[in-house]
Amino acid sequence: MYRLFFDLIFKRMDPEKAHHLAFAWIRAAARVPVLRTLVAAVLAPRRKELRTEALGLRMHGPFGLAAGFDKNAAAIDGMSMLGFDHVEIGTVTAQPQPGNPKKRLFRLVADRALINRMGFNNDGSAAVAERLAARKAVFRATVGVNIGKTKVVPEEEAVADYVTSTERLAAHADYLVVNVSSPNTPGLRNLQATEALRPLLTAVREAADRTVTSRRVPLLVKIAPDLADEDVDAVADLAVELGLDGIIATNTTIAREGLGLRTPKRTVEAIGAGGLSGAPLKARSLEVLSRLYARVGDRITLVGVGGIETADDAWERILAGATLVQGYSAFIYEGPFWCRKLHKGLAEKLAASPYKTLAEAVGAETRKKAAA
């Protein structure tokens, strides 16, 4: 049914307008008590066997919504109603910004992919912090807060910019993510170099600890799939050295070649710059995740994201080393029953496996390859 609706309605709409329309529907449904309870009962049945502990937090399952969909923390309950086990909001910057000029979001339908150059459009960390503080949760949801650099802030002032957002948002975050991997903010990816990343993560950690004294806010970093293997290793080593809680692998890619794209090359070239997400990212994201797990093992939590569409994809990431998995692009193509279908399939995968729990399965395939 949703596929037909997508083909007849959403596919014919500008992608950003379609996003805002769907977002409005989700928010509206979550405001109506009887309706949201009914929707959650249908789309988000909880499965005991999928219960997950990660980052010191207990979650209904391992599957969450990646950053980018709910930039301003406006639909956390709505996304929980649809079945996401955690919701990562953002990316949020210290200053409000409109993002890049439109048109800035494009579908590659044949590839089940998206290209975006949104440019961290958001209300700013002060407004988002106020919204989170005023939120009265309807559903129990784990909320991650993803922070990035304000575009107009020069690279040499990036640390202070991230610290400002941390001081405003850390108290409202179940976990905090430092995003240094979006391709749509000039100079941002330079912060992935360890000589720049070390002082940034150290400052954010100190700011979070200074701001929130009643608990330790878990801190993660999100990296790009375009890093060279030796740079992936360097980030992994730095994360262990600094006592980071996790790494999210991966963000969108700036690559266009070697992805097996079905969309005509001239069409892709006409779209221009931006980060590509969705199914074509699957292989490289899995490769980066496996490499990270081989390097860090169980010392930090890994979150697998990039091209996850099915329960098979999620299970593959778990076996590769991910404790948590996230999705976004496939939601556009799969629709509201996506979480329900993925959870059902993942429970079946676990039941058919030699593992009693998801925790036992984490990294099993990577460990097996290392031992061979």
Side-chain angles (χ1 to χ4, degrees):
M1 178 64 75
Y2 176 78
R3 298 283 178 88
L4 179 62
F5 182 83
F6 176 83
D7 289 340
L8 292 178
I9 308 295
F10 280 162
K11 188 176 175 181
R12 301 170 188 271
M13 294 179 65
D14 172 81
E16 192 167 350
K17 288 182 179 178
H19 171 87
H20 288 310
L21 179 61
F23 197 70
W25 287 344
I26 293 167
R27 291 179 65 190
R31 291 193 189 104
V32 182
V34 176
L35 179 59
R36 70 189 177 215
T37 301
L38 177 62
V39 172
V42 174
L43 300 183
R46 301 305 183 182
R47 297 176 178 272
K48 291 182 180 180
E49 64 268 38
L50 297 184
R51 288 176 182 170
T52 300
E53 290 193 18
L55 306 171
L57 305 167
R58 292 182 179 180
M59 307 182 198
H60 292 298
F63 185 55
L65 179 68
F69 192 90
D70 186 1
K71 294 176 180 292
N72 295 305
I76 294 169
D77 283 314
M79 304 317 294
S80 298
M81 175 187 72
L82 296 182
F84 289 100
D85 300 314
H86 65 275
V87 177
E88 189 171 309
I89 63 121
T91 297
V92 183
T93 54
Q95 301 176 33
Q97 55 187 30
N100 292 323
K102 298 176 182 179
K103 190 175 179 181
R104 55 193 182 181
L105 181 62
F106 309 85
R107 300 187 197 95
L108 304 184
V109 177
D111 295 291
R112 296 174 64 82
L114 300 172
I115 292 176
N116 93 84
R117 50 173 175 270
M118 303 298 289
F120 288 169
N121 55 308
N122 74 105
D123 295 340
S125 56
V128 173
E130 186 176 345
R131 189 170 295 126
L132 287 169
R135 174 176 173 257
K136 296 179 180 178
V138 173
F139 298 104
R140 185 174 70 84
T142 297
V143 180
V145 177
N146 184 302
I147 59 174
K149 185 182 81 67
T150 305
K151 184 176 182 179
V152 298
V153 170
E155 198 174 321
E156 59 270 20
E157 297 175 20
V159 171
D161 193 64
Y162 278 91
V163 165
T164 296
S165 291
T166 302
E167 290 173 342
R168 291 171 176 167
L169 292 165
H172 311 295
D174 289 315
Y175 69 86
L176 196 63
V177 182
V178 171
N179 185 353
V180 288
S181 50
S182 169
N184 299 317
T185 296
L188 184 75
R189 286 192 169 196
N190 295 339
L191 298 175
Q192 291 179 115
T194 53
E195 60 269 20
L197 193 56
R198 178 180 281 104
L200 171 59
L201 293 175
T202 299
V204 170
R205 178 73 271 166
E206 290 173 351
D209 291 342
R210 183 172 63 247
T211 304
V212 184
T213 58
S214 59
R215 62 186 174 94
R216 186 180 191 277
V217 181
L219 180 62
L220 299 84
V221 64
K222 188 169 186 175
I223 64 172
D226 307 311
L227 287 177
D229 287 347
E230 56 268 26
D231 293 324
V232 172
D233 293 344
V235 171
D237 294 344
L238 179 64
V240 172
E241 174 194 331
L242 297 180
L244 216 62
D245 297 279
I247 300 174
I248 300 181
T250 63
N251 211 319
T252 59
T253 181
I254 59 173
R256 300 293 186 265
E257 302 297 328
L259 298 176
L261 296 179
R262 299 175 183 176
T263 303
K265 186 175 182 180
R266 65 182 179 276
T267 301
V268 176
E269 290 176 348
I271 290 172
L276 187 149
S277 61
L281 191 55
K282 193 174 301 186
R284 178 56 183 167
S285 291
L286 176 62
E287 185 179 341
V288 171
L289 174 67
S290 298
R291 189 174 189 91
L292 285 169
Y293 187 80
R295 195 84 173 182
V296 305
D298 297 321
R299 289 177 289 179
I300 60 176
T301 298
L302 299 179
V303 183
V305 57
I308 293 178
E309 299 183 277
T310 66
D312 287 342
D313 297 328
W315 182 243
E316 188 175 37
R317 301 301 169 96
I318 290 167
L319 293 178
T323 300
L324 301 175
V325 291
Q326 294 179 341
Y328 172 1
S329 298
F331 182 46
I332 309 303
Y333 297 104
E334 291 290 329
F337 282 86
W338 184 36
C339 288
R340 178 188 173 97
K341 184 164 59 174
L342 192 143
H343 282 125
K344 180 177 182 292
L346 198 54
E348 291 170 352
K349 287 284 181 185
L350 178 62
S353 79
Y355 313 109
K356 293 181 179 178
T357 65
L358 287 178
E360 287 184 17
V362 172
E365 191 63 30
T366 300
R367 291 193 300 270
K368 188 184 300 184
K369 289 178 181 177

